[in-house]
Amino acid sequence: MDAEGEGFAQFVEARQRALQRTAWLLTGDWALAEDLVQTALARSWPRWERIRRRDDPEIYVRRAMVHSWASWRRRRWWGERATEAVPDSPAIGDMAAEVAVCVTVQRALRSLTARQRAVLVLRVFDDLSEAQVAQVLDCATGTVKATLARAVARLREDPRLAGLMDRETQ
Amino acid sequence: MNGMDRHLRDLLEAAVGEPPRRVTAEAVRRRVIRRRIAEAVAAAVTVAAIVVAIPVGIGALGRAHRPPNGGPAAVGIVTSRHYGYTEALPAGWRLARQAAQRWNGQGSPGDGDPVVDLFRGPRGVEAWASATPTKASLAAYTVAVIRASHANHPCPVRPQTNQTITISGVPARLLGMQCAPGSGFLVEIAVTVHHGTAFVFGSQNPFKFGSQNPRKADRAAFRNFLDGIRLPR
């Protein structure tokens, strides 16, 4: 394997978990998340050396990921829809609590627009700076701030998520 | 990041969990290779479709240029660089040269002038074409062509034949004259005026009247040539 291929392999090895977790928050499905990460990496690999020289590879791959996800959402076959009633999963004990958190978060994320969700995930979960989020989404920093504020306000309207957040605060 | 953002982050962390499978560079490479193969196949299919479509299209074009009177099918299409008409060459005809420059409307250009498109047909028959803007009617322009032929060539004051024909569905005149009168070459000139442009198509039989009379077949060759003309829209 050449140096370029080696560098790419190292990046994938080091970042695939974080990328998949971000992708899951965007898609809400592990199979789609894996597909999304592979798609973004497949787009990046042929120009990896250029990306590595000119850009932050992490930002580039995340941008490819968000753009791919946005384009998937525009396709008709994209079946995800916001729903009021989320089916309960059978669970007991602590696992039940984990599932409840997972389901509540998923439902809350689905209530956001695509851009709100992307901003929230990149800024809050991935801890990117506002400037980096703006770079990923090709928008102004002010747009990132405003979108994030609207996203958080929207999440606060979800009584179950607000309850979980209050519980975390206590 | 403020306190609320941190709580939100903790919730997101709690919700995400661990990916069930790893993404590897090898899997990504395989995916890229599969995509490239798919793109190559798609490109090959496109090229194959184009390769099939071009001859079919040319065939259709040739059929479209088939003379309405059931004459021979075109063996090639020529578009005049300077004058814009197209000629669906009948069998036995070919383009000898395109005009090197536009005609200025003066004189009576013949086969040796650089302002004419020159074609060579069967048995040595030649045809040439030129065009120039005009405000004259077909009748008036035909008179001007006869005068210019007389002034510039040893052609008669009055042609031996003057027939009404159509070129590309447009009314035209076909003049037949011996240049010089009583001997010389048979010269036929077809004139039409279309959208403010006068088109002049000339033909010359290679044989002098005195040595060998032009055959009917040679006249027919020029008619076939005229049938292949399509004037610009």
Side-chain angles (χ1 to χ4, degrees):
Chain A
M1 196 184 292
D2 58 8
E4 185 180 339
E6 191 72 44
F8 178 74
Q10 283 171 1
F11 175 85
V12 174
E13 177 66 22
R15 302 303 300 152
Q16 61 89 20
R17 175 178 173 271
L19 292 172
Q20 282 203 81
R21 281 155 60 90
T22 300
W24 183 86
L25 286 171
L26 293 174
T27 62
D29 179 283
W30 281 118
L32 285 174
E34 185 184 343
D35 199 22
L36 184 58
V37 171
Q38 282 205 12
T39 301
L41 289 170
R43 282 186 182 181
S44 311
W45 180 47
R47 50 185 78 101
W48 189 251
E49 189 52 35
R50 206 169 357 137
I51 293 166
R52 200 184 57 75
R53 276 201 312 267
R54 288 175 38 192
D55 209 343
D56 178 354
E58 179 96 18
I59 295 290
Y60 187 94
V61 172
R62 285 183 189 279
R63 185 189 296 147
M65 214 162 78
V66 171
H67 287 188
S68 298
W69 172 62
S71 101
W72 288 2
R73 282 176 59 89
R74 282 193 292 272
R75 288 184 199 159
R76 283 169 185 264
W77 56 260
W78 183 267
E80 186 192 41
R81 294 284 182 276
T83 174
E84 282 301 312
V86 177
D88 291 332
S89 303
I92 51 167
D94 288 347
M95 198 174 167
E98 283 175 21
V99 169
V101 170
C102 180
V103 166
T104 304
V105 169
Q106 265 193 316
R107 190 178 63 177
L109 288 175
R110 283 180 192 172
S111 72
L112 302 178
T113 65
R115 181 170 281 250
Q116 285 172 349
R117 198 190 308 192
V119 167
L120 184 87
V121 170
L122 294 170
R123 178 75 184 98
V124 176
F125 182 72
D126 290 329
D127 205 16
L128 298 188
S129 68
E130 283 162 350
Q132 285 174 318
V133 176
Q135 209 181 337
V136 169
L137 297 176
D138 292 330
C139 65
T141 312
T143 308
V144 172
K145 282 183 191 172
T147 308
L148 182 63
R150 278 196 294 273
V152 172
R154 184 81 178 265
L155 293 180
R156 292 290 296 176
E157 289 170 10
D158 185 317
R160 292 187 196 181
L161 190 75
L164 284 175
M165 286 171 75
D166 292 342
R167 208 164 60 196
E168 290 276 334
T169 312
Q170 285 160 9
Chain B
M1 190 181 284
N2 60 30
M4 182 161 164
D5 288 348
R6 269 193 295 276
H7 295 313
L8 200 50
R9 182 183 180 175
D10 291 343
L11 273 179
L12 294 176
E13 278 282 355
V16 168
E18 287 301 312
R21 283 155 49 100
R22 295 173 64 79
V23 171
T24 63
E26 193 49 43
V28 173
R29 280 197 201 96
R30 281 199 300 270
R31 190 186 182 110
V32 171
I33 290 165
R34 275 201 303 274
R35 197 178 66 192
R36 283 180 180 167
I37 289 171
E39 285 170 357
V41 168
V45 168
T46 305
V47 168
I50 290 169
V51 166
V52 169
I54 286 174
V56 170
I58 289 173
L61 201 57
R63 285 193 294 281
H65 277 79
R66 187 184 287 275
N69 60 5
V75 293
I77 310 287
V78 171
T79 299
S80 171
R81 221 175 281 154
H82 286 288
Y83 306 126
Y85 67 88
T86 60
E87 163 67 2
L89 292 167
W93 284 90
R94 67 183 173 85
L95 174 71
R97 62 171 160 78
Q98 291 260 5
Q101 62 194 75
R102 288 184 73 88
W103 179 32
N104 62 5
Q106 302 297 308
S108 176
D111 58 349
D113 285 289
V115 297
V116 301
D117 298 328
L118 183 65
F119 300 85
R120 295 199 197 286
R123 291 178 300 280
V125 176
E126 282 183 345
W128 59 90
S130 56
T132 189
T134 184
K135 291 178 180 169
S137 65
L138 173 61
Y141 199 83
T142 303
V143 169
V145 167
I146 294 168
R147 282 184 184 153
S149 298
H150 176 63
N152 294 280
H153 306 285
C155 294
V157 176
R158 183 172 297 172
Q160 280 83 26
T161 59
N162 185 340
Q163 301 170 261
T164 300
I165 59 168
T166 61
I167 297 176
S168 187
V170 177
R173 304 297 298 182
L174 178 62
L175 311 171
M177 50 187 109
Q178 291 169 33
C179 305
S183 65
F185 298 99
L186 169 67
V187 174
E188 290 186 292
I189 299 175
V191 185
T192 188
V193 175
H194 182 55
H195 292 333
T197 299
F199 291 87
V200 181
F201 300 96
S203 170
Q204 179 173 291
N205 187 287
F207 302 112
K208 285 191 174 182
F209 268 24
S211 57
Q212 189 177 355
N213 284 335
R215 303 174 203 162
K216 278 186 179 176
D218 296 339
R219 292 169 181 259
F222 186 51
R223 303 297 184 282
N224 284 340
F225 175 86
L226 292 177
D227 283 340
I229 297 289
R230 292 291 177 273
L231 299 175
R233 295 186 177 190

